[in-house]
Amino acid sequence: MTRKPQDTAPRNGGIGIEWPTMAIATLIYGGWLALTWWHAALPTPVIVVAGGWLVAWHGSLQHETIHGHPTRWRVVNAAIGAVPLSLWLPYGLYRDSHVAHHRSPHITDPLDDPESRYVASSRGVRHVAARVQATLLGRLLFGPFLAVLALVADEGRRLARQPGRVARDWLPHLALVMPIVAWLEWTGFGTLRYLLLVVYPGLSLTLLRSFAEHRANLPGPSRAATVERAGPLGLLYLNNHLHTAHHDRPDLAWYRLPAHQRRHHARLSAQAGRAHRSYGEIVRRFALAPHDALVHPGRQDRR
């Protein structure tokens, strides 16, 4: 996460505000406040489902703001997305990593794409972590914990090389985390309980989306796959299940992606290779089976 590319997403042309995205942001933040305020009246399963949904939905909203939505003003978009409901990941790190992912000329290559799930070698800690998450069940159960560990390790190394940049990314994040933690403690929800019941399942939902959205042997330059029917998860992921379409037009707002997918279905399908029919299909195929090889095919001869 040491690369610092600039976000070049268009500023929405002549559109001042994208109201569908603003409505989603209002639902997320309003729902979060309601859930944490009235948590004592809610059964634990409701808290897990609703809280996990809201945190995952918020991650989808952050993704929209990184791509220049819902306004033409970068500072407003960042203000909408930077509230750290998940607590653990600074918005700036996510933004820089995701922009680098889109700009990578070799998407899925772990030495060039910071969001790659592949590893460069069959040895070491990273390979062990990838093996644990090779199946969908392993990714959902252990992926959130391993993602936080990976962030700690990466940021520890970066701190030794670039302490100023680490401070620039983390100090604003911690300043925003503090009032959230204070709110959780004041309402009696509790930070640890929030991490276990809300953040962890929310990150698992996000990892379900990203589990099969890229593969090194797909024909298109983005190596992106498509899930044709997402059901309610399409709203949760803000149509990012149409991942080939998103990489084709990363500037499009989430609610415009389905129309783009329909208009260019043949071309995008050729780029995506075999599309997944649904997330149900992904669960059936990969719950206990690996989605792909762990070592990137371009790195196998360098092991």
Side-chain angles (χ1 to χ4, degrees):
M1 293 186 178
T2 59
R3 297 173 61 179
K4 294 289 179 180
Q6 294 297 311
D7 179 4
T8 57
R11 303 271 72 81
N12 297 319
I15 301 174
I17 297 175
E18 296 171 348
W19 291 110
T21 308
M22 291 297 291
I24 294 293
T26 301
L27 285 172
I28 290 170
Y29 289 120
W32 187 88
L33 287 171
L35 179 77
T36 52
W37 178 256
W38 282 295
H39 69 92
L42 299 174
T44 297
V46 172
I47 292 174
V48 171
V49 172
W53 180 283
L54 287 169
V55 166
W57 213 7
H58 182 257
S60 300
L61 175 66
Q62 289 184 313
H63 176 260
E64 283 293 298
T65 66
I66 287 168
H67 283 288
H69 310 285
T71 79
R72 70 180 72 176
W73 302 286
R74 186 194 304 263
V75 65
V76 175
N77 298 335
I80 292 170
V83 181
L85 295 189
S86 68
L87 299 182
W88 70 284
L89 180 62
Y91 178 78
L93 288 183
Y94 176 31
R95 178 195 60 223
D96 294 338
S97 174
H98 192 66
V99 172
H101 164 69
H102 273 271
R103 289 188 170 184
S104 171
H106 307 290
I107 289 177
T108 72
D109 188 328
L111 300 188
D112 195 76
D113 178 1
E115 295 189 1
S116 173
R117 290 191 56 227
Y118 293 90
V119 293
S121 169
S122 60
R123 297 182 295 272
V125 174
R126 290 185 184 274
H127 186 267
V128 173
R131 184 173 293 279
V132 171
Q133 301 177 79
T135 67
L136 180 59
L137 186 61
R139 185 163 171 84
L140 299 185
L141 290 178
F142 304 109
F145 176 70
L146 292 172
V148 174
L149 282 186
L151 177 70
V152 171
D154 289 344
E155 289 302 282
R157 287 189 290 269
R158 194 166 72 107
L159 181 61
R161 301 191 309 269
Q162 301 172 320
R165 287 189 174 183
V166 171
R168 184 195 65 186
D169 289 328
W170 279 92
L171 290 179
H173 174 71
L174 294 175
L176 292 170
V177 164
M178 288 175 62
I180 294 178
V181 170
W183 170 265
L184 292 171
E185 296 301 323
W186 183 65
T187 60
F189 198 113
T191 305
L192 180 60
R193 181 168 174 255
Y194 178 76
L195 289 170
L196 293 176
L197 298 186
V198 175
V199 174
Y200 205 97
L203 185 49
S204 287
L205 277 173
T206 299
L207 294 176
L208 168 62
R209 189 212 74 222
S210 62
F211 179 77
E213 67 186 16
H214 286 283
R215 187 162 173 150
N217 62 359
L218 291 179
S222 66
R223 308 291 188 259
T226 289
V227 179
E228 293 178 336
R229 298 188 301 273
L233 293 179
L235 180 61
L236 176 66
Y237 299 144
L238 296 184
N239 291 330
N240 208 20
H241 65 288
L242 304 173
H243 209 59
T244 314
H246 169 62
H247 271 268
D248 189 58
R249 286 290 307 274
D251 60 303
L252 284 183
W254 63 276
Y255 53 89
R256 300 187 186 279
L257 277 177
H260 183 72
Q261 174 74 22
R262 290 191 296 272
R263 283 196 302 269
H264 303 279
H265 184 268
R267 177 174 62 84
L268 295 175
S269 295
Q271 291 183 18
R274 182 187 180 279
H276 303 289
R277 290 190 296 272
S278 66
Y279 283 105
E281 178 193 88
I282 292 174
V283 171
R284 289 191 298 272
R285 292 182 62 194
F286 302 116
L288 299 175
H291 169 252
D292 199 358
L294 301 180
V295 179
H296 190 274
R299 302 290 164 186
Q300 289 176 348
D301 58 344
R302 309 182 190 187
R303 287 180 287 178

